[in-house]
Amino acid sequence: MSNLPKLEGKATVVMTVNGSPITIEVDGTAAPVTAGNFVDLVNQGVYDGVAFHRVVREPQPFVVQGGDPQSKDPKVPMARLGTGGFIDPTTSQERYVPLEIQPEGSDMPVYSQTFDEAKIKAQPKLKHSRGAVAMARSRLPDSASSQFYFALADLPFLDGSYAVFGYVTEGMDVIDDIQQGDRIESAKVVSGLDNLKN
């Protein structure tokens, strides 16, 4: 993990979708590696032009997911999206971040295992409430790269299994209107970039 960016403190990211801003407070106090990865990718322009490839509102509101860099290419079919991650230009390898979830009452996150696997009974400090921003991953705990999702509702069954790293503070109405295929026009770090340590 020493080679991964970390966020020491908080940062604010403004994402523009369908011409409207979404403001995200990114929390490096409880998820320094996950938050650092996201802020670093925003700062590198990785999310500019990327599509939301997974939108689940039925049978009840669930998630809006994006962040697959393959989606910048309009020729890549939607069905193939959800498999790509950030390829680090310095190593030409995909960058993965470990599963990182801090239990309430603890000073340190738990890494590389879900709360069930670690036999932790506590709630996570950062919960899947409506507006939570978290990392998407495959079955393997340490498989998150660049894909993230917005929680459209409180999703307590995901707590302790997926890493929340921030919350939408403005623009949930914009997220509620996102359709599959909509793109992130731009994402900018508007404050807290000095808290990013590479």
Side-chain angles (χ1 to χ4, degrees):
M1 282 192 299
S2 57
N3 58 339
L4 293 171
K6 290 181 182 63
L7 187 69
E8 296 174 356
K10 296 194 173 179
T12 305
V13 168
V14 174
M15 208 170 258
T16 305
V17 179
N18 294 326
S20 299
I22 298 163
T23 305
I24 301 165
E25 183 179 84
V26 185
D27 189 341
T29 57
V33 175
T34 314
N37 176 65
F38 182 76
V39 169
D40 180 56
L41 296 182
V42 168
N43 196 45
Q44 290 190 49
V46 169
Y47 293 118
D48 297 352
V50 162
F52 289 99
H53 61 273
R54 182 175 181 232
V55 176
V56 183
R57 292 197 174 91
E58 299 299 331
Q60 59 263 332
F62 184 47
V63 298
V64 170
Q65 182 174 325
D68 184 337
Q70 297 179 102
S71 68
K72 284 192 184 194
D73 180 353
K75 293 190 205 66
V76 175
M78 256 317 154
R80 218 177 82 210
L81 300 179
T83 56
F86 169 66
I87 306 297
D88 189 328
T90 54
T91 62
S92 304
Q93 301 291 314
E94 189 164 339
R95 179 203 285 171
Y96 293 106
V97 290
L99 181 61
E100 175 185 54
I101 310 173
Q102 185 168 331
E104 263 179 359
S106 169
D107 295 338
M108 285 292 298
V110 171
Y111 288 99
S112 303
Q113 50 186 342
T114 65
F115 278 17
D116 278 353
E117 290 165 342
K119 303 201 176 354
I120 291 171
K121 297 288 180 246
Q123 290 291 308
K125 197 167 179 184
L126 303 180
K127 296 179 184 62
H128 280 81
S129 53
R130 174 171 155 80
V133 191
M135 290 306 283
R137 61 173 177 83
S138 69
R139 199 176 45 76
L140 301 169
D142 296 346
S143 57
S145 178
S146 59
Q147 291 184 51
F148 67 94
Y149 58 88
F150 296 115
L152 294 175
D154 293 354
L155 305 170
F157 57 92
L158 295 180
D159 285 342
S161 295
Y162 290 84
V164 174
F165 61 86
Y167 294 93
V168 174
T169 56
E170 287 174 64
M172 266 316 285
D173 55 326
V174 180
I175 294 168
D176 286 333
D177 290 338
I178 289 174
Q179 302 299 315
Q180 186 180 34
D182 286 355
R183 294 184 179 276
I184 298 168
E185 286 144 41
S186 68
K188 301 268 178 289
V189 184
V190 296
S191 72
L193 189 58
D194 49 342
N195 292 332
L196 182 65
K197 311 294 180 216
N198 278 318

